[in-house]
Amino acid sequence: MEVVVVGGHGKIALKLLALLAERGDRARGVIRDPAQAPDLEAVGTEAVVCDIEREELTDAVKGVDAVVFAAGAGPGSGTERKRTVDYGGAVKLIEAAKANAVARYVMVSSIGAHDPDSASGTFRAYLQAKADADRELADSGLDYTIVRPGMLSDDAGTGLVDLSTELGRRSAVPREDVAAVLAEALLVPGTVGKTFECFGGEIPVAEAVRSL
Ligand SMILES: NC(=O)c1ccc[n+]([C@@H]2O[C@H](COP(=O)([O-])OP(=O)(O)OC[C@H]3O[C@@H](n4cnc5c(N)ncnc54)[C@H](OP(=O)(O)O)[C@@H]3O)[C@@H](O)[C@H]2O)c1
């Protein structure tokens, strides 16, 4: 499978790219800083340079089987960049996928995106950006899967998760396990059309993804 991961130098994205390369998929990551390219090459993937706030993604996704949106403006950013990255970048990827007839799109969203009004300030803007991007994807006609991880940690992955289409719970999950869930979801047609939350848990990733 040929996959493009947008936000390719992100913490989840790098782990996902490594997993894809390990299982023999051809993966490339979209980055905005060319100096990050060696880190993508070190895990057996290629880098494509594109600043998603300033450029289109059309060329970056040419000829691929699936796209993953794993970019984010990050914790230090303000309301404006939540719109330009978390929302605008995700929508650009929808448009690019459609323009290239790439049907499969996996989104890294967030818990809380089902109810942005429960938050305030910049965090509300973040959840609204995620919610709006998720809605556009669900309405896009693409074969989508929306993954909403809980609070991310850099703890080592356990390979054990708790996935649920029932939204509104709160818990944590290692980024490594989120990456494993994303990699598995790309293989499982039963995840198409699903939105689910992702936490650390007790069920092996492959089993959890297949039972959604
Ligand atoms: N923190 C949490 O607890 C939590 C919980 C649920 C979901 N999430 C979401 O999960 C996703 C992945 O998380 P993560 O920790 O792996 O993210 P991360 O390490 O912050 O990575 C985000 C990536 O997006 C890239 N990016 C930002 N602006 C860009 C632009 N204009 N053009 C191209 N790339 C751009 C960044 O590149 P640069 O290095 O160039 O900035 C970075 O590599 C994020 O959307 C995050 O919001 C987070």
Side-chain angles (χ1 to χ4, degrees), residues 55-202:
E55 297 163 86
E56 299 307 314
L57 280 161
T58 320
D59 291 342
V61 309
K62 269 199 168 60
V64 303
D65 302 300
V67 297
V68 178
F69 188 79
S77 58
T79 303
E80 194 181 318
R81 289 199 67 236
K82 306 300 183 198
R83 288 316 287 181
T84 54
V85 181
D86 295 85
Y87 173 71
V91 170
K92 274 188 185 175
L93 187 57
I94 293 172
E95 287 160 359
K98 282 183 171 177
N100 284 287
V102 179
R104 189 79 174 105
Y105 189 129
V106 177
M107 176 80 87
V108 182
S109 179
S110 175
I111 55 161
H114 69 292
D115 185 18
D117 289 337
S118 64
S120 61
T122 311
F123 192 54
R124 187 190 180 289
Y126 165 71
L127 292 179
Q128 192 65 57
K130 291 290 192 198
D132 292 347
D134 291 357
R135 192 169 314 108
E136 294 226 14
L137 179 58
D139 291 344
S140 66
L142 297 175
D143 292 342
Y144 74 88
T145 301
I146 296 168
V147 182
R148 292 185 172 162
M151 192 187 302
L152 299 172
S153 81
D154 290 325
D155 294 349
T158 63
L160 302 171
V161 291
D162 174 0
L163 307 181
S164 173
T165 53
E166 189 184 307
L167 307 176
R169 291 187 300 149
R170 279 174 192 272
S171 186
V173 58
R175 286 179 170 87
E176 202 170 311
D177 288 332
V178 178
V181 167
L182 296 168
E184 197 65 28
L186 284 166
L187 297 177
V188 179
T191 62
V192 170
K194 300 255 164 78
T195 299
F196 61 90
E197 293 182 343
C198 171
F199 304 110
E202 297 189 343

Side-chain angles (χ1 to χ4, degrees), residues 10-12 32 36 51-53 71-72 109 126 130 152 175:
K11 288 181 180 173
I12 290 176
R32 59 177 170 163
Q36 293 172 340
D51 184 330
I52 60 173
E53 291 167 276
S109 179
Y126 165 71
K130 291 290 192 198
L152 299 172
R175 286 179 170 87

Side-chain angles (χ1 to χ4, degrees), residues 18-31:
L19 288 175
L20 296 175
E22 267 166 33
R23 76 179 183 203
D25 290 336
R26 280 202 62 199
R28 40 189 202 263
V30 173
I31 55 174

